[in-house]
Amino acid sequence: MHTGCYIDGEWVQPRSERILKNVNPSNTEDVIAEFPAATPNEVERAVAGAQKAFERWRRVPAPERARVVWRATEIARRRADELARMLAREEGKVLKEAQGEIKKGNSILEFYAGEGFRIQGRTLPSEVADVFTYTIRRPLGVVGLITPWNFPYAIPCWKIAPALVAGNTCVFKPAGLTPGTAAILVEVFEEAGLPPGCLQMVVGPGSTVGDAIVRHPAIQAISFTGSTPVGLGLNALAAERGAKVTCEMGGKNAVVALPGADVDNVVASVLNGAFGSTGQRCTATSRLLVHEELRAQVTEALVEGARAIRVGDALEEGSQMGPAVDARQFQTDLEYIAVGKQEARLLTGGGRPAGLEGGYFVEPTIFTEVEPEHRIFREEIFGPVLSICPIKDLEDGIAKANAVEFGLTASIYTPDIGQAM
């Protein structure tokens, strides 16, 4: 595995006093790699190289650009096991989930390879006689792609592939916690024949490297996935110079369960939504809004299911939930659990599993008697913590689902198609 930065087709080690340590969260004694962090100097080099590469890449026909992405898809499928194991080792996602993410990312690459044959403009009716009005699509230029640690393969795929197929060049900043997966993805594009400079990778702190990308006048667009506070700040900075921005940020997602719903289906879905990927998904199910008629039955089954989840090393066969990604997220989880114990009633979990002291493991945790004014109801935890809140009817469920600042995903379980719609 390469480490450091990838600039103009070469792997380079920045001259930096800050050393990044890539640690396995399942076993903190397992240090995967250590290397110097990128600085604004590496960002400047990466952007300059991407600008030069853009003048050549933009002239490559879109179908030919797409064929590079298609070759990358085939190479990534060949290296799928290596990618999954690296992802599980450095992020803590259990191997089965890691394998699923690699498949997802490869499907994204495949889809956008096809888009290279479908880049179309439009003809439009004109108000003036004998005037032909039409639009064509042209690439923007150099784009900045800032990705998180919780989906370190799929999210870079769905940012990098469309940018390249459209004719842009990329400065890619992966999360510092998951550089190994990002490095293999870059190797895949290199092997696929992507010209030097079209994909630059810089690994370093968001406060310096990310900020340098956002502020750089040559970066025409920025795509960011991460926390809401960081995304809002990034958007404000980019707006100062008129750069295009897309942000995908936090969530506090609700499941609404109404009378007549299939209880087994509700329980299975909520367990997967709340504790899959250790709850470290912006789309995780963090709130269950359940009708009084179902509450006792659903709650009992959820507690039983949560206690049956096998927490363990992400690479170990049979593990169903891995660790928090690092010490910071682990501490955040424990702090919110402490808050929850003061606000509501703890039903199960709430601590560290016995025998797993060598990693950042947290038990699947469920609170009940949670109300909308509680912090664990309103704030994104990003860990394996589920809050159960009673509702009286559909309208009450909708009101409570919307009683947070986030708007990302929601689900409803009901036999009434009218309610569902």
Side-chain angles (χ1 to χ4, degrees):
M1 179 193 78
H2 286 98
T3 60
C5 298
Y6 183 76
I7 299 175
D8 295 341
E10 295 182 354
W11 291 93
V12 299
Q13 296 292 315
R15 293 183 177 180
S16 171
E17 294 181 359
R18 180 163 183 169
I19 302 299
L20 295 179
K21 184 180 289 188
N22 189 10
V23 176
N24 178 352
S26 294
N27 174 12
T28 57
E29 294 184 359
D30 176 22
V31 178
I32 301 164
E34 291 186 70
F35 56 94
T39 70
N41 290 333
E42 280 70 47
V43 173
E44 190 63 45
R45 288 178 55 194
V47 173
Q51 285 180 289
K52 291 179 182 178
F54 174 66
E55 295 307 317
R56 300 187 303 273
W57 184 243
R58 68 186 301 183
R59 292 180 173 84
V60 175
E64 190 59 35
R65 298 194 298 255
R67 289 186 182 101
V68 174
V69 177
W70 178 256
R71 289 195 294 272
T73 308
E74 295 178 321
I75 295 163
R77 286 185 172 137
R78 192 177 71 235
R79 299 183 68 174
D81 184 64
E82 176 190 3
L83 278 160
R85 295 190 69 83
M86 174 57 72
L87 196 162
R89 186 180 173 199
E90 68 177 356
E91 195 269 353
K93 192 171 291 186
V94 296
L95 190 56
K96 184 177 180 180
E97 291 178 333
Q99 291 166 338
E101 181 178 340
I102 302 307
K103 288 181 181 178
K104 173 70 173 178
N106 291 343
S107 294
I108 290 165
L109 294 177
E110 182 178 40
F111 174 84
Y112 281 110
E115 286 295 280
F117 296 84
R118 295 189 289 268
I119 297 177
Q120 300 173 353
R122 295 191 300 165
T123 59
L124 304 165
S126 173
E127 295 182 2
V128 181
D130 300 321
V131 171
F132 180 51
T133 307
Y134 66 98
T135 65
I136 56 175
R137 293 186 177 272
R138 287 286 185 259
L140 294 173
V142 182
V143 298
L145 310 176
I146 301 174
T147 62
W149 49 261
N150 63 324
F151 283 89
Y153 186 72
I155 290 178
C157 285
W158 76 52
K159 294 185 190 297
I160 293 169
L164 291 175
V165 167
N168 303 288
T169 54
C170 308
V171 176
F172 166 41
K173 193 198 92 64
L177 293 174
T178 52
T181 305
I184 297 174
L185 178 58
V186 169
E187 291 172 6
V188 164
F189 276 104
E190 182 180 45
E191 187 179 344
L194 184 67
C198 291
L199 176 58
Q200 316 273 52
M201 185 177 82
V202 287
V203 186
S207 58
T208 53
V209 173
D211 187 73
I213 291 171
V214 174
R215 291 180 183 274
H216 201 292
I219 298 285
Q220 301 298 311
I222 299 148
S223 181
F224 168 82
T225 301
S227 73
T228 298
V230 173
L232 293 176
L234 178 156
N235 189 49
L237 276 178
E240 292 178 1
R241 58 182 186 82
K244 296 177 182 292
V245 179
T246 59
C247 290
E248 195 278 299
M249 301 182 287
K252 191 68 179 175
N253 312 291
V255 166
V256 177
L258 297 172
D262 184 324
V263 170
D264 291 340
N265 193 13
V266 171
V267 170
S269 299
V270 170
L271 287 172
N272 181 55
F275 305 123
S277 300
T278 320
Q280 297 177 144
R281 297 185 292 211
C282 56
T283 55
T285 301
S286 56
R287 297 179 296 149
L288 171 62
L289 310 179
V290 60
H291 194 278
E292 290 284 7
E293 289 185 19
L294 296 178
R295 182 166 64 154
Q297 186 180 2
V298 168
T299 299
E300 181 181 356
L302 282 171
V303 169
E304 182 180 350
R307 289 174 177 168
I309 292 172
R310 182 177 174 185
V311 181
D313 190 309
L315 287 168
E316 190 174 296
E317 190 72 29
S319 291
Q320 296 172 303
M321 192 181 92
V325 70
D326 68 349
R328 183 177 178 182
Q329 185 60 50
F330 174 71
Q331 191 60 38
T332 296
D333 293 347
L334 295 182
E335 287 173 359
Y336 270 108
I337 288 169
V339 170
K341 289 176 180 178
Q342 295 177 343
E343 294 181 326
R345 183 159 66 92
L346 178 67
L347 293 177
T348 190
R352 303 185 68 165
L356 294 172
E357 290 76 12
Y360 301 121
F361 294 96
V362 179
E363 293 174 316
T365 300
I366 299 177
F367 288 98
T368 190
E369 300 173 14
V370 181
E371 297 297 336
E373 63 269 19
H374 293 162
R375 286 181 60 194
I376 60 170
F377 183 98
R378 293 182 288 106
E379 298 177 14
E380 186 178 39
I381 300 172
F382 225 64
V385 181
L386 174 68
S387 295
I388 300 177
C389 177
I391 58 172
K392 299 175 182 177
D393 50 32
L394 174 63
E395 289 70 26
D396 188 33
I398 292 172
K400 287 177 177 173
N402 289 330
V404 294
E405 65 175 333
F406 303 100
L408 190 56
T409 73
S411 306
I412 184 169
Y413 289 80
T414 173
D416 185 334
I417 189 64
Q419 290 181 323
M421 296 305 293

